[in-house]
Amino acid sequence: MPQHSPIRSKEAFFTSLTQLFKDKKVSKLLLSKNRGSDKDLQRIVVRPVLLREQAMLSFVLSFNSRDITKNYTVSDGLAVVHAYLENDFRAAHVYTNEEEIQLELSKKGKASIRIHQVKTPRAAPINEEHNKQKHRFVELSRPYLQALGVTDNEHRVIPSMSRKWKQINKFIEVFSQALSQSPLAADKPMQVVDFGSGKGYLTFAIHDYLHHHLATDSQVTGVELRAQLAELCQQAAQNLEHKGLNFVCGDVKTHAPQHTDVMIALHACDVATDYAIHYGIRANASIIMCSPCCHKQIRPQMHSPDLLQPMLQFGVHLGQQAEMVTDSLRALLLEAHGYQTKVFEFISLEHTNKNKMILATKRKQVVDNTQVLKQIDAIKQFYGIKEHCLQTLLGQ
């Protein structure tokens, strides 16, 4: 907003916002902190688009379990924004090529407005294309992507990082869906721990999503066993001035337990996945995201029935069976401890061809786990399994 015309009221904010939209300077408007009657409505993202050569405003209304898109003319859309700010939302975040403007409204309607200059103003025009580009959960223009070597100076994906770019987008998409199904409020600050954060791609991505997209003051901690990587990521976070993002040297077995809303552990080898899930349950995490790797503990214990021996004489099948049994027991143990669990294919990491993810969200209501515990015992008995690391940890 023009620096010569300071904004001190909600009315002045809206007047300047209207002018910015008419001047085609707004790339995105985010409405958050819903105070209206529809509690399922989490946020609204407004973008300028071009439909049949007419300038329009596209509204994406994000509810707990679905998104709804509505398109308005610029004047009608601005009237809708004004109504939402009057009756439903207490926060607005405006993004232009040169500034980011934040409006916060108190319960009594008093306005607090902050304006941040973009360090590197982008000269690229506002994108008004509609339905021409595949929807992405991460914007290519985000500064951390360039700092981590995913994009170049023109915000284009570096060819050798295209797989990583897809993985980052898919990760945020999965997290966004899990968040909508969890007890967590999307507009409230969260505590996130990422074990085995490595070079920090996904750690930076989730921090940026929580701060930039959801406009929350969340705290994200990357835990990495290799001290040099932890230091490099910490320096990058400081250079980018990412408030609430920290990297520490350690692992899942040594990191001190504390309240955690979201626990992430991708490429956790063998029983490290069990320790990570145990940490998440112990910390009462609402979301647990794990991508297990090898499965050495269960395989030597398994005694398959004679009927299956012709199939299991092939080593690859034996390994796949051990993987299936190990991760099924993990998912069932999460179910038994109050989580709704999914096991599905994810984009494989650069240092392993494994592409499975275990995603667990805390149930909003307590359910009887008697049947699940019986299923766990039956599976162990069928395969002759004496010990499962996660079950042992949970029993201590």
Side-chain angles (χ1 to χ4, degrees), residues 66-120:
R66 71 195 189 282
D67 287 350
I68 296 177
T69 300
K70 297 181 179 180
N71 298 314
Y72 300 93
T73 63
V74 174
S75 58
D76 288 347
L78 286 169
V80 172
V81 170
H82 189 272
Y84 273 127
L85 286 176
E86 285 289 337
N87 305 308
D88 297 284
F89 289 93
R90 293 193 297 110
H93 200 148
V94 185
Y95 300 87
T96 75
N97 285 336
E98 298 179 349
E99 297 174 323
E100 291 186 8
I101 309 101
Q102 291 178 277
L103 167 71
E104 292 275 352
L105 297 174
S106 68
K107 292 182 179 180
K108 295 183 178 180
K110 184 179 179 180
S112 172
I113 298 170
R114 291 179 292 174
I115 302 177
H116 304 283
Q117 299 294 321
V118 176
K119 280 191 171 182
T120 307

Side-chain angles (χ1 to χ4, degrees), residues 1 3 42 44 66 75 78 109 135 158 166 179-180 195 212 228 237 254 258 270 283 344 370:
M1 294 184 180
Q3 294 185 16
Q42 299 294 316
I44 298 176
R66 71 195 189 282
S75 58
L78 286 169
H135 174 66
I158 296 172
K166 291 179 181 178
L179 181 59
S180 69
F195 289 109
H212 173 72
Q228 185 176 8
T254 60
Q258 55 187 331
D270 198 22
F344 56 94
T370 304

Side-chain angles (χ1 to χ4, degrees), residues 63-320:
F63 294 85
N64 282 333
S65 58
R66 71 195 189 282
D67 287 350
I68 296 177
T69 300
K70 297 181 179 180
N71 298 314
Y72 300 93
T73 63
V74 174
S75 58
D76 288 347
L78 286 169
V80 172
V81 170
H82 189 272
Y84 273 127
L85 286 176
E86 285 289 337
N87 305 308
D88 297 284
F89 289 93
R90 293 193 297 110
H93 200 148
V94 185
Y95 300 87
T96 75
N97 285 336
E98 298 179 349
E99 297 174 323
E100 291 186 8
I101 309 101
Q102 291 178 277
L103 167 71
E104 292 275 352
L105 297 174
S106 68
K107 292 182 179 180
K108 295 183 178 180
K110 184 179 179 180
S112 172
I113 298 170
R114 291 179 292 174
I115 302 177
H116 304 283
Q117 299 294 321
V118 176
K119 280 191 171 182
T120 307
R122 299 183 294 274
I126 300 300
N127 178 22
E128 292 186 338
E129 293 183 351
H130 184 66
N131 290 339
K132 292 185 178 181
Q133 297 184 358
K134 184 177 179 181
H135 174 66
R136 296 293 187 185
F137 282 79
V138 179
E139 300 167 6
L140 279 171
S141 59
R142 300 308 299 150
Y144 77 92
L145 291 172
Q146 183 179 346
L148 297 180
V150 178
T151 60
D152 58 20
N153 293 336
E154 301 297 325
H155 307 297
R156 296 171 300 194
V157 177
I158 296 172
S160 61
M161 298 299 288
S162 60
R163 190 176 182 85
K164 175 59 64 179
W165 165 240
K166 291 179 181 178
Q167 184 198 91
I168 291 171
N169 272 282
K170 187 63 179 178
F171 172 75
I172 296 300
E173 178 184 353
V174 170
F175 172 73
S176 174
Q177 293 171 352
L179 181 59
S180 69
Q181 298 168 5
S182 76
L184 297 172
D187 61 346
K188 302 294 184 183
M190 303 172 203
Q191 297 286 338
V192 181
V193 177
D194 179 13
F195 289 109
S197 53
K199 297 178 182 178
Y201 298 110
L202 302 184
T203 324
F204 273 91
I206 196 167
H207 174 271
D208 188 77
Y209 181 77
L210 292 171
H211 278 251
H212 173 72
H213 188 76
L214 298 184
T216 70
D217 293 325
S218 297
Q219 300 292 315
V220 179
T221 302
V223 182
E224 171 55 44
L225 187 60
R226 293 163 290 185
Q228 185 176 8
L229 278 182
E231 292 171 3
L232 285 173
C233 290
Q234 180 65 22
Q235 187 61 53
Q238 292 176 355
N239 293 341
L240 291 168
E241 297 183 358
H242 278 211
K243 181 182 177 182
L245 176 61
N246 294 287
F247 292 85
V248 298
C249 181
D251 65 10
V252 68
K253 294 182 182 180
T254 60
H255 191 69
Q258 55 187 331
H259 172 72
T260 302
D261 295 304
V262 181
M263 194 288 300
I264 303 165
L266 305 190
H267 187 57
C269 292
D270 198 22
V271 295
T273 295
D274 298 306
Y275 278 90
I277 294 174
H278 178 237
Y279 177 99
I281 294 174
R282 196 172 37 157
N284 198 33
S286 292
I287 298 176
I288 293 176
M289 304 175 72
C290 285
S291 181
C293 181
C294 45
H295 305 75
K296 297 177 182 178
Q297 187 208 17
I298 294 297
R299 184 168 174 171
Q301 300 182 56
M302 293 178 62
H303 300 293
S304 302
D306 292 339
L307 179 63
L308 301 182
Q309 293 306 317
M311 294 188 297
L312 299 179
Q313 65 177 312
F314 306 106
V316 64
H317 290 166
L318 192 63
Q320 289 171 344

